[in-house]
């Protein structure tokens, strides 16, 4: 990804052996809004109603680093040169972390599409990857945005309907219950994980301040004490670095995982919703057919309508089952990978911390016994 | 992702190697420096070198005082078993003070007495009035806390009042230890009486709203005004430099203390958030229908719960080891500055005496011409009186200056000792925490790998 002033531009690099593509390799520049356009067109495609549509990547959020940059600019006159350099370093690290996060999440979105047998053939997806000019996509105007919002509201009302609709298929009944429950739990877990990560960052910040304060005191002293203080400041500085890295790792592996699957669960729920809608339509068409038969009017039309509704419902059920099963497998694999990686990183960081503390401890003890009796 | 981690890890290891190589240097340096000073105590113990080289500053102080305190420093004091006596607003906490020692000034090897908080305050106030004006740094007593104490009195057995009592007990123990570390204070009869005698007259004058309390407040205000008006002619560069250093240290130390308090607070927050995440993860595990993943999530929840406890313990360590000690030092610095102020007051008194003497001399000179023999005699007597006062004032000033130099030297050495002890203990606690973390996560790893 590249940053150009306000807009973040992503460089999408594609390598392919598919015959549908014109060249084996592509490299194009895309903006976040282009990803959203792609996602929305896929959602609106009727054909994909029976598939779990990969959730759209969230907007890149540089609010945190931007705030810090502001503070840095304001406080520049009141800080020492060292403090300023340190803060700038921190700022750059934070920017980098946000970059990594947002690149990852956009990449995963595209990878999901390209690994799915149906999505990878999608015409718009191809355009997205191939077209070497700017996709000056029509931004959603106000009416469309409002329409989308309204649609979401209707959907939530329908969700209540879904839970009420009588389910004939055992598989879908189970899935529905599971998804509804899991979705609220995972949302909660995501929020708590975010708070936990925030606290880790606060502790790292405190280590930073302590280190700075110790250095300030050391600057005033010109005795052996000064060396001790400076060493001590070093300890806290190193602790801070490790704590910071650990907080970012935890965020990437745990919090981001939970965030992603919260969105994915929502996509699965959307699939269920669409199927329930189709079921409701089918039941309505049945009622309409009965009415038509009673009245003796438009029977053929009603029969045709009913047939179509049934077809749609069956198709959704069939692909839905496949999708939900592979979704579970996908989820388990992702959790496993991330939990393992997170645990390994935790262990690594704890070992590093332990080693550093031990080394400094040893140093202090040796200095002690060298002077005291 | 993993590729990006490695260079960072390598950098970490490089740092370690660099540091490890530095330490043999440091150790060698200290070893070399011991040899020249082991030739015995220097002749002029009080004259501190203005040499900024660290070994000299520390070893210059191997004088008689130091050897004496090293030989006689065999006293252990513990403050324990807080007990509540009485009920309602008249209730108070009583602490057991146990002294174990082999020093001869004590009548027994082991003494155990019961004291309450106002007894400690009473001791401090007596010591301060006896020694501060001589330039001795009297360790300050722990602070009063009306809110904290009221909760305890009212009988709330909740976590915060238990913490409060523990905080106070620990502070009282540190106070006594610091007091007896001072060679002069250790021999003071009030201190001995405090540690040994079973009954102690109730120190009523320590109450804030008593007559004595109000008098104290008035005196404090008067002192503050005086300080502003006295413009001392500092002839001694050492004092000027030290005064400046202590003023700076005061500011810096308060900032450091605030940062550490923030650390304690955030670590407690971290512990709370970890616990709440653990619960949430457990619920997620319950909801998960894939058995192995469900189990792994429950295990994760358990690990996080244990970690939450770890964080709590670490926060405690942060607090008691560092934060409280820093608080003590902030108050101690105030006492040091107070002692410098006393010196200023002594100087002012000396100056005033000189001014009076001058006046008396002028008066006598005038009387010489006025021919009043009895008044003349009186004037001559007064002159002698004030000459005596001036001499006394100058002696006092020299004495307090000498005392302060010695006290500051002792203070600077003590703080290095304190600092070392604290940092070593703190690092030990951190190492321990990391060991536990490693243990927990290594136990969890196979669970995570078992997800199939």
């Amino acid at each position: 990804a590249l940053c150009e002033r306000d807009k973040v531009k992503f460089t999408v690099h594609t390598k392919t052996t598919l015959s549908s593509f014109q060249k084996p390799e592509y490299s194009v520049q895309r903006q976040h809004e282009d990803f959203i356009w792609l996602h929305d067109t896929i959602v609106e495609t009727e054909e994909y109603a029976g598939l779990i549509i990969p959730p759209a990547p969230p907007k890149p959020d540089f609010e945190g680093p931007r705030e810090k940059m502001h503070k840095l600019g304001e406080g520049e006159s009141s800080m020492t040169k060292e403090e300023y350099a340190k803060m700038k370093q921190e700022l750059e690290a934070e920017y980098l972390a946000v970059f990594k996060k947002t690149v990852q999440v956009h990449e995963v979105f595209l990878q999901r599409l390209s690994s799915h047998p149906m999505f990878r053939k999608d015409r718009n997806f191809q355009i997205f990857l191939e077209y070497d000019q700017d996709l000056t996509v029509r931004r959603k105007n106000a009416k469309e945005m409002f329409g989308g919002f309204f649609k979401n509201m209707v959907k939530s009302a329908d969700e209540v309907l879904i839970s009420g609709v009588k389910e004939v298929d055992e598989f879908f009944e189970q899935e529905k219950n599971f998804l509804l429950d899991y979705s609220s739990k995972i949302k909660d877990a995501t929020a708590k994980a975010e708070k936990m990560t925030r606290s880790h960052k606060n502790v790292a910040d405190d280590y930073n301040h302590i280190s700075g304060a110790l250095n300030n005191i050391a600057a005033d002293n010109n005795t052996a004490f000064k060396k001790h203080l400076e060493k001590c400041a070093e300890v806290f500085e190193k602790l801070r670095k490790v704590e910071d890295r650990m907080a970012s790792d935890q965020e990437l592996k745990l919090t981001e995982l939970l965030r992603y699957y919260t969105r994915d669960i929502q996509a699965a729920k959307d699939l269920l919703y669409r199927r329930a809608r189709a079921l409701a339509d089918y039941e309505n068409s049945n009622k309409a057919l009965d009415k038509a038969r009673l009245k003796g009017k438009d029977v053929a039309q009603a029969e045709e309508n009913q047939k179509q509704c049934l077809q749609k419902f069956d198709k959704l059920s069939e692909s839905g089952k496949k999708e939900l099963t592979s979704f579970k497998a996908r989820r388990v694999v992702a959790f496993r990978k991330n939990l393992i990686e997170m645990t390994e990183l935790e262990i690594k960081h704890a070992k590093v911390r332990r080693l550093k503390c031990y080394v400094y401890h040893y140093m202090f003890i040796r200095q002690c016994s060298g002077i005291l009796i | 992702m993993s590729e990006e981690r490695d260079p960072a890890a390598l950098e970490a290891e490089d740092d370690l190697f660099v540091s490890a190589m530095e330490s043999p240097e440091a150790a060698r340096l200290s070893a070399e420096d011991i040899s020249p000073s082991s030739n015995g105590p220097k002749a002029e113990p009080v004259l501190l070198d203005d040499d900024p080289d660290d070994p000299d500053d520390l070893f210059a102080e191997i004088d008689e005082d130091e050897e004496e305190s090293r030989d006689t420093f065999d006293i252990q004091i513990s403050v324990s078993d807080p007990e509540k006596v009485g009920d309602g607003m008249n209730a108070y906490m009583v602490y057991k003070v146990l002294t174990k020692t082999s020093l001869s000034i004590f009548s027994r090897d082991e003494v155990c007495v019961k004291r309450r908080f106002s007894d400690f305050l009473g001791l401090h106030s007596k010591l301060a009035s006896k020694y501060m004006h001589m330039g001795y740094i009297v360790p300050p007593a722990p602070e009063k806390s009306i809110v904290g104490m009221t909760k305890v009195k009212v009988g709330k057995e909740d976590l915060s009042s238990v913490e409060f009592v523990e905080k106070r007990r620990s502070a009282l123990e540190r106070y006594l230890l610091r007091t007896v570390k001072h060679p002069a204070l250790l021999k003071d009869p009030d201190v001995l009486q405090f540690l040994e005698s079973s009954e102690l007259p109730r120190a009523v004058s320590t109450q804030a709203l008593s007559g004595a309390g109000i008098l104290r407040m008035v005196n404090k205000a008067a002192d503050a005004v005086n300080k502003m008006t006295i413009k001392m002619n500092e002839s001694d560069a050492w004092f000027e430099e030290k005064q400046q250093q202590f003023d700076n240290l005061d500011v810096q130390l308060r900032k450091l203390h605030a940062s550490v308090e923030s650390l304690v607070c955030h670590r407690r927050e971290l512990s709370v958030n970890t616990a709440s995440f653990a619960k949430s993860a457990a619920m997620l595990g319950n909801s998960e229908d894939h058995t192995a993943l469900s189990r792994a999530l429950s295990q994760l929840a358990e690990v996080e719960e244990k970690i939450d406890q770890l964080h709590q313990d670490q926060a405690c360590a942060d607090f008691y080891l560092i934060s409280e000690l820093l608080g003590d030092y902030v108050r101690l610095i105030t006492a040091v500055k107070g002692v410098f102020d006393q010196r200023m007051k002594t100087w002012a008194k000396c100056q005033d005496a000189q001014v009076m003497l001058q006046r008396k001399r002028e008066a006598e000179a005038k009387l010489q011409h006025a021919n009043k023999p009895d008044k003349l005699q009186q004037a001559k007597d007064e002159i002698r009186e004030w000459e005596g006062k001036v001499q006394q004032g100058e002696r006092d000033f020299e004495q307090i200056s000498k005392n302060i130099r010695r006290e500051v030297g002792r203070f600077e050495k003590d703080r290095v000792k304190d600092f070392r002890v604290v940092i070593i203990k703190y690092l030990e606690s951190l190492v321990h925490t990391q060991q536990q973390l490693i243990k927990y996560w290594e136990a969890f790893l196979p669970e995570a790998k078992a997800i199939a």
Side-chain angles (χ1 to χ4, degrees):
Chain A
L2 255 186
C3 187
E4 266 192 57
R5 280 197 234 137
D6 291 322
K7 295 209 148 100
V8 181
K9 286 215 167 103
F10 296 90
T11 308
V12 179
H13 200 85
T14 318
K15 281 201 185 129
T16 176
T17 52
L18 287 178
S19 52
S20 49
F21 285 82
Q22 293 177 353
K23 295 193 283 192
E25 253 188 71
Y26 290 94
S27 190
V28 294
Q29 300 249 343
R30 294 287 173 253
Q31 292 180 15
H32 172 74
E33 286 79 10
D34 302 330
F35 288 77
I36 300 296
W37 164 81
L38 180 60
H39 174 258
D40 288 344
T41 55
I42 291 183
V43 165
E44 285 160 11
T45 309
E46 187 64 38
E47 254 183 81
Y48 302 139
L51 307 175
I52 297 180
I53 299 174
K59 198 157 178 227
D61 176 23
F62 286 98
E63 203 41 57
R66 233 178 246 145
E67 236 185 82
K68 248 194 167 150
M69 191 165 80
H70 208 65
K71 259 198 251 174
L72 191 70
E74 281 181 357
E76 184 173 354
S77 45
S78 61
M79 281 193 251
T80 65
K81 213 165 57 165
E82 293 90 21
E83 281 180 349
Y84 185 74
K86 231 207 275 187
M87 262 202 94
K88 210 168 107 188
Q89 222 181 29
E90 269 173 47
L91 184 63
E92 285 167 5
E94 241 189 80
Y95 253 113
L96 195 67
V98 175
F99 258 127
K100 263 201 253 191
K101 236 182 8 184
T102 192
V103 165
Q104 180 178 284
V105 91
H106 283 78
E107 195 176 82
V108 164
F109 171 68
L110 292 179
Q111 282 173 342
R112 277 281 294 276
L113 290 176
S114 65
S115 59
H116 195 286
M118 290 215 61
F119 289 133
R120 60 152 62 137
K121 296 191 224 140
D122 181 82
R123 187 71 200 123
N124 286 319
F125 185 46
Q126 269 196 334
I127 293 175
F128 182 91
L129 293 177
E130 289 186 318
Y131 190 62
D132 57 0
Q133 304 291 325
D134 266 348
L135 289 176
T136 44
V137 291
R138 194 164 60 90
R139 307 279 181 262
K140 276 192 167 162
N141 60 31
K143 187 166 106 183
E144 285 177 338
M145 287 231 181
F146 188 65
F149 177 66
F150 187 62
K151 229 188 342 176
N152 277 333
M153 278 186 60
V154 171
K155 210 164 51 163
S156 356
D158 274 330
E159 267 187 30
V160 176
L161 258 162
I162 297 175
S163 355
V165 156
K166 213 164 47 148
E167 188 51 75
V168 289
D169 191 333
E170 170 90 27
F171 173 81
F172 281 100
E173 177 69 23
Q174 267 187 348
E175 281 300 308
K176 179 183 78 184
N177 291 330
F178 166 69
L179 283 177
L180 285 177
D181 182 37
Y182 198 77
S183 132
S184 68
K185 300 277 164 58
I186 198 171
K187 249 195 232 155
D188 184 55
T190 308
K192 300 284 161 62
E194 283 176 344
K195 266 173 119 176
M196 197 168 67
T197 310
R198 188 99 277 282
S199 287
H200 269 297
K201 291 217 167 104
N202 284 339
V203 168
D205 267 345
D206 285 332
Y207 280 150
N208 197 19
H209 292 144
I210 292 178
S211 172
L214 283 169
N215 271 325
N216 282 340
I217 298 183
D220 273 344
N221 269 278
N222 47 12
T223 59
F225 200 36
K226 176 184 178 136
K227 271 222 205 107
H228 286 317
L229 288 171
E230 286 176 340
K231 267 279 170 322
C232 192
E234 248 178 66
V235 172
F236 277 101
E237 179 57 34
K238 296 243 157 71
L239 283 177
R240 176 195 77 81
K241 282 216 187 95
V242 180
E243 201 71 42
D244 235 351
R245 258 182 227 149
M246 212 213 70
S248 322
D249 284 342
Q250 195 186 66
E251 180 163 33
L252 264 171
K253 298 294 166 195
L254 185 64
T255 316
E256 274 298 302
L257 172 76
L258 291 172
R259 275 196 203 121
Y260 185 75
Y261 274 94
T262 307
R263 290 196 292 273
D264 221 4
I265 295 270
Q266 186 58 46
K269 272 166 67 182
D270 288 346
L271 168 60
L272 278 189
Y273 153 72
R274 289 193 290 270
R275 179 178 167 277
R277 221 21 345 205
L279 179 59
D281 285 344
Y282 171 63
E283 287 180 354
N284 287 340
S285 76
N286 264 335
K287 288 195 199 122
L289 181 59
D290 287 340
K291 241 197 337 197
R293 284 203 176 124
L294 263 167
K295 283 204 196 145
K297 251 177 34 161
D298 298 320
V299 175
Q301 203 181 19
E303 275 181 349
E304 184 59 36
N305 190 23
Q306 191 239 34
K307 200 163 72 168
Q308 278 191 351
C309 284
L310 183 59
Q311 263 184 345
K312 181 167 166 200
F313 176 65
D314 281 339
K315 185 169 133 203
L316 285 187
S317 298
E318 193 188 312
S319 78
K321 215 178 222 172
K322 265 197 286 187
E323 285 282 299
L324 286 170
T325 314
S326 68
F327 171 65
K328 188 194 307 277
R330 212 166 9 101
R331 188 176 77 242
V332 171
V333 164
F335 267 76
R336 178 176 189 276
K337 172 166 173 283
N338 277 305
L339 283 179
I340 292 178
E341 282 176 2
M342 179 185 82
T343 308
E344 287 175 342
L345 281 170
E346 290 264 359
I347 294 177
K348 186 177 100 166
H349 288 312
K351 282 193 172 149
V352 166
R353 255 194 247 122
R354 178 183 67 174
L355 185 57
K356 287 197 198 249
C357 288
Y358 192 68
V359 164
Y360 277 102
H361 178 252
Y362 179 69
M363 264 167 38
F364 274 110
I365 291 221
R366 284 194 68 180
Q367 283 187 352
C368 247
S369 60
I371 295 175
L372 287 182
I373 290 166
Chain B
M1 244 346 80
S2 45
E3 290 91 52
E4 280 159 75
R5 285 286 162 239
D6 287 338
L10 271 176
E11 173 221 299
E13 262 130 52
D14 278 349
D15 283 356
L16 278 177
F17 280 123
V18 167
S19 317
M21 283 200 291
E22 275 176 17
S23 57
E25 309 274 311
R28 251 187 287 132
L29 192 66
S30 336
E32 276 167 20
D33 291 329
I34 297 183
S35 21
S37 309
S38 64
N39 292 333
K42 289 205 178 149
E44 192 51 65
V46 175
L47 211 75
L48 287 169
D49 291 325
D50 274 20
D51 189 2
D53 272 339
D54 29 82
D56 280 351
D57 266 358
L58 286 177
F59 293 118
E61 289 305 286
I62 304 185
D63 53 8
E64 298 96 43
D65 276 23
E66 182 60 41
E67 295 206 345
E68 193 185 304
S69 63
R70 250 187 278 133
D71 290 330
T72 59
F73 204 72
D74 181 17
I75 175 168
Q76 286 171 20
I77 302 187
S78 72
V79 174
S80 58
D81 302 330
E83 254 176 53
K84 187 162 151 200
V85 171
D87 258 322
M89 287 313 287
N90 289 326
Y92 57 92
M93 295 299 280
V94 160
Y95 302 88
K96 194 167 84 167
V97 178
L98 175 64
T99 312
K100 285 196 197 147
T101 175
S102 62
L103 297 175
S104 49
I105 41 173
F106 286 88
S107 56
R108 300 200 290 283
D109 286 351
E110 232 182 83
V111 193
C112 186
V113 293
K114 291 214 162 111
R115 295 282 177 254
R116 55 183 290 188
F117 186 64
S118 52
D119 294 336
F120 288 82
L121 293 181
L123 175 66
H124 172 255
S125 117
K126 281 194 213 144
L127 293 177
S129 59
K130 276 203 268 188
Y131 292 103
M132 261 193 88
H133 67 92
M134 294 203 327
Y136 284 36
I137 303 176
V138 175
E143 283 175 345
K144 287 197 210 230
S145 164
I146 300 178
V147 174
M149 236 1 239
T150 312
K151 270 207 228 157
V152 174
K153 287 188 202 212
V154 167
K156 284 181 78 176
E157 274 299 321
D158 66 351
L159 192 63
S160 64
S161 49
V162 167
E163 264 183 39
F164 172 78
V165 171
E166 172 55 30
K167 201 169 126 173
R168 178 162 276 192
R169 181 208 67 78
S170 166
L172 290 174
E173 194 173 271
R174 288 196 306 274
Y175 166 66
L176 284 182
L177 281 169
R178 209 167 270 127
T179 305
V180 298
K181 259 209 284 199
H182 194 298
L185 295 181
L186 175 58
K187 303 188 196 124
D188 183 278
D190 280 322
V191 172
L192 292 173
Q193 186 193 37
F194 181 91
L195 291 174
E196 289 193 309
S197 68
S198 43
E199 282 302 315
L200 209 62
R202 175 94 189 276
V204 184
S205 62
T206 58
Q207 282 165 348
L209 295 177
S210 66
I214 298 195
L215 189 61
R216 256 204 306 280
M217 281 196 283
V218 171
N219 277 339
K220 248 195 198 163
D223 277 346
V225 172
N226 275 340
K227 195 165 152 184
M228 289 191 282
T229 52
I230 298 178
K231 190 61 190 94
M232 177 160 162
N233 210 355
E234 187 57 79
S235 50
D236 193 336
W238 186 92
F239 277 93
E240 203 171 317
E241 190 189 316
K242 284 298 170 190
Q243 178 86 43
Q244 186 63 39
Q245 266 184 12
F246 279 111
D247 281 340
N248 286 347
L249 189 59
D250 193 18
V251 170
Q252 311 288 16
L253 209 57
R254 278 174 208 268
K255 268 201 223 148
L256 180 63
H257 188 213
S259 293
V260 174
E261 286 188 319
S262 171
L263 174 67
V264 172
C265 177
H266 282 141
R267 221 194 269 282
R268 290 214 168 117
E269 239 178 59
L270 176 60
S271 147
V272 164
N273 287 339
T274 309
S276 105
F277 173 73
K279 283 204 194 87
S280 185
M283 296 212 355
L284 190 65
N286 280 340
S287 168
E288 174 64 62
D289 62 352
H290 185 271
T291 349
L293 182 55
S294 165
R295 230 194 40 209
L297 285 172
S298 309
Q299 298 282 46
L300 179 67
E302 269 180 40
V303 167
E304 294 286 353
E305 242 179 65
K306 290 199 199 126
I307 291 183
D308 138 54
Q309 187 58 46
L310 262 189
H311 284 314
Q312 259 188 42
D313 294 340
Q314 182 65 55
C316 260
D318 290 344
F319 183 65
Y320 282 109
L321 276 182
I322 304 189
S323 181
E324 285 286 271
L325 183 72
L326 283 177
D328 284 353
Y329 264 86
V330 167
R331 281 192 296 277
L332 208 56
I333 299 272
T334 310
V336 171
K337 280 167 62 164
V339 142
F340 275 81
D341 290 344
Q342 288 289 341
R343 178 172 170 270
M344 269 214 290
K345 271 211 300 211
T346 311
W347 178 84
K349 236 168 84 173
C350 186
Q351 290 297 97
D352 288 346
Q354 281 186 344
V355 165
M356 272 310 265
L357 179 62
Q358 189 60 23
R359 260 194 233 146
K360 297 296 178 190
R361 284 204 174 123
E362 283 169 3
E364 190 235 11
K366 270 197 219 134
L367 284 177
Q368 288 255 350
H369 300 306
N371 201 14
K372 285 182 185 155
D374 47 327
K375 280 232 170 112
L376 194 59
Q377 184 55 38
Q378 186 188 21
K380 281 204 178 4
D381 286 339
E382 280 180 357
I383 287 182
R384 252 201 306 280
E385 184 193 333
W386 279 98
E387 274 174 349
K389 282 205 180 136
V390 167
Q391 273 181 357
Q392 182 63 39
E394 283 173 349
R395 270 202 301 272
D396 283 344
F397 183 70
E398 257 179 55
Q399 183 65 37
I400 194 176
S401 299
K402 182 165 132 197
N403 285 344
I404 290 183
R405 277 175 189 263
R406 193 182 54 225
E407 288 286 287
V408 167
R410 206 175 54 83
F411 170 80
E412 287 180 340
K413 221 184 328 197
D414 278 348
R415 80 176 166 188
V416 178
K417 276 193 221 156
D418 273 351
F419 174 81
R420 278 201 199 112
V421 166
V422 158
I423 191 73
I424 286 175
K425 277 212 196 115
Y426 186 64
L427 286 172
E428 276 172 11
S429 85
L430 281 179
V431 168
H432 174 77
T433 308
Q434 305 315 312
Q435 304 270 53
Q436 294 295 94
L437 268 180
I438 292 173
K439 204 168 78 176
Y440 296 149
W441 285 115
E442 282 184 337
F444 175 70
L445 191 57
E447 287 292 338
K449 289 197 168 147
I451 304 173

